[in-house]
Every structure is written in structure tokens, then in C-alpha cells.
Amino acid sequence: MSTADRLTDSLYGLGWSTVKRLPEPAAVRLGRTIADLAWKKRGKGVLRLESNYARVLPDATPERLAELSRAGMRSYLRYWMESFRLPAWSAERVRTGFDPKDLHFLTDGLASGRGVVLALPHLANWDLAGAWVTTKLETPFTTVAERLKPETLYDRFVAYREGLGMEVLPHSGGSAFGTLARRLRDGGLVCLVADRDLSASGVEVDFFGETARMPAGPALLAQQTGALLLPVTLWYDESPVMKGRLHPPIEVPESGTRAEKTSVMTQALANAFATGIAHHPEDWHMLQRLWLADLDPAKGPS
């Protein structure tokens, strides 16, 4: 393991061991302080965040984008402070920490026995939403995690999410899709963060007026298993309770090839994501390149 990898792993380990012991108000203050310091440095992540926000709000002035990126970094650090502390939250704190609208789309889908795919963008805190599902709804689910470097950091994330009641599969390796399909055919729940394609072989979509690429997995799983495909968007307000919305199901088109159906369904997902992001852009934690015009074809997403 390189020195940089050891440092990264140590910093995350420190976060999980130290931040979770802080009183909540202290963790909130710490997150805001770190966010403001990072924002003032104007590093690569902050500049990319502003560039992405400029796609969402093309008429925004530089001053507005800077204001938005500051709020975005505060939202991003709220996600991290919450995530570091989630393993120490009581079951009651988890149950009262999330308030989703139109939950009936999920509960009716699960009750039907057909399986449900929840697809989310990088909005607010998807880990908290997952912990709420396993705690409040008492419903286990399966998800996929990107393999991080160093490997010890990936192991930390897997252990953390499994500790919240999730089954976690590695993104790479090729067997994840088959396992997800089996869970859905058994009437289970699958949750996937799906606004950024990691394979460079996803589906091209129109996203805020420009071409981006999003993963085909959610649409393919719904087609092959008959599962319900539900977009979900999340956001923060000034309260300690995260908010969310389940959008209406995305239906499988009646005609067309598999590729054509996948394209239509993934575009519908992108449209739902765009609706949520447009209403709460500061809670979209996209500090990486997303649109094809920004990507280096030789390197793919970064």
C-alpha cells in the first residue's frame, strides 16, 4: 500500500472512530468548518462542483455559482458527518431521521411480490435513506459499491454498510448483476446510485440539455426480472430530518429492442433525477466529471 493510500485509509478510520463519538451539534459545526475551509481553497473538487452546477443553472452568475458551491460543500460534509455517526445512532434516531413522500410506491411494490429497484442520484445522504429502509421498514436490501483504493478503505465501506443492514456487492467482477436479479426474482429490494456510469459503457441520456452517460443496470434489471423501477430523490432542509420523494414507476416500453427499451427507461430515470437536482442543486454531491463533453475519452469518468 502506498503512503497516500495509507494516509487516506487512516483519515477515514479516524473519522469513523472519532466523529461518531461527538455530540450531534459538535459534529454539525465540525462538518461546516471543514466544508468552508475546503471551499475557500478552491480545489479541483470545488471547481468541478461549480462547473456541474453551471449545467444545472446555466443562467447563474459566477457569484451565484460560488454561493451554491459553498452550500454544496456544506451539504457534502453533512453527508460525511452523518455517515460517520450513523453506526452510533439509535434505532429511533434512524427511524425519525428521514421523511420520504409517496412511500406507497415502494410499499405497494414490495407487497406485490414482484421486487423493486430503487435508483438514486448522489443527492443528500443515500446511506441514511438505506438505514431508514432497513430500520423503519424492516426491509433488507442489496446494493453495489464501487471498489475503492486502497482495498482496506473499500473494506471499511462494506463493513459500514453491512452494519446498517445492507447486502453489499462489489461493482467489478461481473457477478453482481446475476445476484441482483436473483434477489429481485425472489421479491426483494435492490438500491442503486445511478447518476454516473462507472463502466464507460452506459446509456447516453440528455441531462440538463447536454449528453451524459448513466448506467444501464436499473433498466435492464427491471426488464429481465419484472421488478418495479422507482426513481428516488433526496434533499436536506434546515431541520435534522432528511427529506425525500419516491417518483412514479418507470414502465418497460411495450415495443422495441432491449437496447431501445433500456435507452427510454434510462432517459426517464435521468429526467426524474434532473427534477430533484433542479429543486435542490446544493444537495447534489457530484464533484466528478459527468457530461461527455468534460470526459477524457482515454480515461473515462474521473
Side-chain angles (χ1 to χ4, degrees):
M1 187 189 299
S2 70
T3 301
D5 284 348
R6 279 196 296 271
L7 178 60
T8 299
D9 183 59
S10 297
L11 288 173
Y12 278 102
L14 183 65
W16 264 300
S17 63
T18 303
V19 173
K20 72 179 180 183
R21 296 193 184 100
L22 293 175
E24 191 157 344
V28 170
R29 287 194 300 271
L30 176 61
R32 184 160 289 203
T33 299
I34 295 171
D36 288 350
L37 288 172
W39 177 77
K40 287 176 183 176
K41 285 187 175 181
R42 308 287 294 161
K44 184 171 68 171
V46 172
L47 295 178
R48 175 53 53 191
L49 190 64
E50 279 186 20
S51 175
N52 290 338
Y53 287 158
R55 296 304 212 312
V56 177
L57 299 170
D59 297 327
T61 63
E63 293 76 17
R64 170 61 177 140
L65 290 174
E67 177 186 90
L68 195 58
S69 68
R70 184 178 190 182
M73 291 304 295
R74 287 182 170 185
S75 175
Y76 185 48
L77 264 295
R78 175 174 172 176
Y79 159 77
W80 277 112
M81 292 298 111
E82 286 179 348
S83 294
F84 287 143
R85 288 175 48 75
L86 260 177
W89 280 17
S90 67
E92 181 61 22
R93 178 69 179 89
V94 174
R95 283 193 290 266
T96 59
F98 180 41
D99 180 22
K101 302 178 185 298
D102 297 322
L103 184 62
H104 65 92
F105 287 127
L106 172 58
T107 53
D108 291 351
L110 291 172
S112 74
R114 64 185 288 195
V116 176
V117 180
L118 295 180
L120 308 86
H122 285 81
L123 275 169
N125 192 338
W126 46 96
D127 285 327
L128 172 54
W132 185 89
V133 167
T134 60
T135 305
K136 174 75 172 180
L137 300 186
E138 298 182 343
T139 302
F141 66 86
T142 304
T143 188
V144 174
E146 177 184 0
R147 277 205 176 276
L148 302 172
K149 292 183 179 179
E151 189 76 13
T152 51
L153 179 58
Y154 171 77
D155 292 340
R156 285 184 189 273
F157 270 96
V158 170
Y160 156 65
R161 288 180 171 136
E162 288 179 341
L164 298 175
M166 311 174 192
E167 179 187 22
V168 183
L169 308 176
H171 181 271
S172 59
S175 63
F177 189 91
T179 303
L180 295 174
R182 286 194 296 274
R183 299 292 183 269
L184 292 168
R185 291 191 182 101
D186 290 339
L189 177 62
V190 164
C191 300
L192 300 170
V193 180
D195 57 342
R196 181 170 177 257
D197 179 54
L198 294 172
S199 67
S201 60
V203 179
E204 290 190 4
V205 295
D206 180 276
F207 198 52
F208 293 102
E210 291 193 46
T211 303
R213 192 183 289 119
M214 294 187 181
L220 287 172
L221 284 167
Q223 289 178 62
Q224 293 195 17
T225 68
L228 201 65
L229 176 56
L230 297 178
V232 182
T233 53
L234 311 171
W235 68 92
Y236 290 129
D237 56 20
E238 295 304 312
S239 79
V241 179
M242 184 176 70
K243 305 302 190 297
R245 179 181 301 280
L246 287 96
H247 297 253
I250 293 175
E251 302 294 341
V252 178
E254 293 184 0
S255 61
T257 64
R258 185 173 72 168
E260 289 168 344
K261 292 177 180 179
T262 301
S263 178
V264 169
M265 295 172 73
T266 306
Q267 182 64 61
L269 264 186
N271 294 344
F273 293 167
T275 298
I277 291 166
H279 281 113
H280 304 279
E282 70 280 2
D283 292 323
W284 189 39
H285 307 150
M286 186 55 66
L287 281 73
Q288 299 86 17
R289 301 173 191 271
L290 179 70
W291 281 272
L292 297 194
D294 295 334
L295 294 175
D296 178 347
K299 296 180 180 179
S302 63

